[in-house]
Amino acid sequence: MRFSANISTMFKERPLLERFAAARAAGFPAVEIQFPYEVPLAEVVRAKEAAGVLVDLINLPAGDFSTGVRGIAGLPGRVGEFRAAVARGRDYARALGARKVNVLAGIKPADAERRTCLAQLVENLRFAADTLNADGIRVLVEPINAFDIPGFLVNRTPEALTVIEEAAAGSARDLGVQADLYHMARMGEDAATALIALGKHLAHIQFSDVPGRVEPGSGTLDWAAQFAAVARSGYAGFVAAEYTPSRRTEDTLGWMRDFA
């Protein structure tokens, strides 16, 4: 099993540009970044190349989080903003060599119908795939549990699968599901069953422990069973640690020595 580190949540003892080298020094050959857009692209590329790590995944710009927004892909009336986000995400993904881009559906507005938001999500995913697939970049959708982000449009793995299948129907669009073991556990999903059911649509895996999104071994999940489920799924990509360390990041990596 090959592990990567999410340097938006880990190694936060350092500025973002220093986290690439810190992750490599800790034994991670690859990283992912939620939103690299806070730093000029040329600086991010230099830090990545100097550290000698791969960038496996980034998120598309997802709106202003300070306003309570948690993604815009499923929000009617923000198509222009979403398309601009695709263009910016494409620039970063291409320069960083990221071959996966995650799209956050967002929180359903109180005055909108869920089916309308889902239709908008499908439309936007088609646009994103038509734009990004040409560069060999796969477009992903991540279900997020209903407790951490109430009202989020896509909460469960089967819901995400339905969305990407509709967006890809009758085309060669390359879309997939980003499965987070933490969100799955919070929604009561069995990891082995859910991952296997995704089949070829399983595009990315992330993990953290429950509760608190902390490092494995600090919560209640059985990590031997969780990683065994990953192995049985047939997924061959990087498995990404995306947790909030309970102490200095380097002091929370015992799980990696146990399971790498």
Side-chain angles (χ1 to χ4, degrees):
M1 195 171 297
R2 299 181 301 156
F3 292 111
S4 63
N6 187 307
I7 58 172
S8 296
T9 63
M10 300 169 65
F11 300 100
K12 292 182 73 172
E13 302 86 356
R14 305 164 177 82
L16 178 63
L17 294 178
E18 296 179 15
R19 297 176 204 168
F20 292 91
R24 189 69 188 94
F28 293 101
V31 301
E32 61 181 36
I33 316 167
Q34 291 174 345
F35 303 106
Y37 311 104
E38 64 192 69
V39 178
L41 178 53
E43 295 181 23
V44 183
V45 172
R46 280 196 295 270
K48 171 250 184 183
E49 292 180 348
V53 295
L54 300 173
V55 174
D56 192 37
L57 173 144
I58 63 173
N59 287 354
L60 282 188
D64 184 354
F65 275 35
S66 70
T67 66
V69 172
R70 292 295 183 270
I72 58 175
L75 305 188
R78 301 184 73 162
V79 174
E81 183 182 355
F82 179 80
R83 294 190 173 192
V86 171
R88 194 171 189 207
R90 182 187 187 188
D91 289 343
Y92 273 74
R94 289 173 65 179
L96 292 168
R99 289 291 173 256
K100 303 178 212 172
V101 167
N102 183 40
V103 176
L104 292 180
I107 298 170
K108 186 186 80 64
D111 59 350
E113 293 188 1
R114 187 169 187 272
R115 63 180 180 179
T116 302
C117 293
L118 289 172
Q120 184 65 71
L121 175 59
V122 167
E123 177 187 320
N124 282 334
L125 288 173
R126 288 172 178 159
F127 175 84
D130 289 343
T131 303
L132 298 172
N133 288 173
D135 291 307
I137 301 167
R138 194 173 192 185
V139 174
L140 313 187
V141 172
E142 179 183 17
I144 294 179
N145 77 79
F147 305 100
D148 287 8
I149 305 183
F152 197 80
L153 193 58
V154 181
N155 302 132
R156 299 179 184 275
T157 307
E159 295 171 7
L161 180 58
T162 297
V163 166
I164 65 163
E165 286 180 332
E166 183 175 351
S171 75
R173 295 184 183 101
D174 189 10
L175 297 111
V177 174
Q178 176 170 306
D180 189 319
L181 301 180
Y182 169 81
H183 291 305
M184 292 164 65
R186 290 281 279 152
M187 294 302 293
E189 294 186 68
D190 175 71
T193 302
L195 294 177
I196 290 172
L198 287 173
K200 66 180 182 180
H201 300 296
L202 176 55
H204 194 67
I205 297 177
Q206 297 172 324
F207 64 90
S208 56
D209 215 334
V210 176
R213 293 201 84 166
V214 289
E215 65 272 8
S218 295
T220 61
L221 293 182
D222 179 343
W223 285 98
Q226 292 289 308
F227 289 138
V230 172
R232 288 197 298 275
S233 74
Y235 173 77
F238 285 104
V239 183
E242 188 196 34
Y243 61 78
T244 302
S246 62
R247 52 196 184 280
R248 181 176 174 266
T249 301
E250 286 85 348
D251 296 333
T252 68
L253 300 177
W255 59 268
M256 188 164 66
R257 293 187 289 273
D258 293 338
F259 294 105

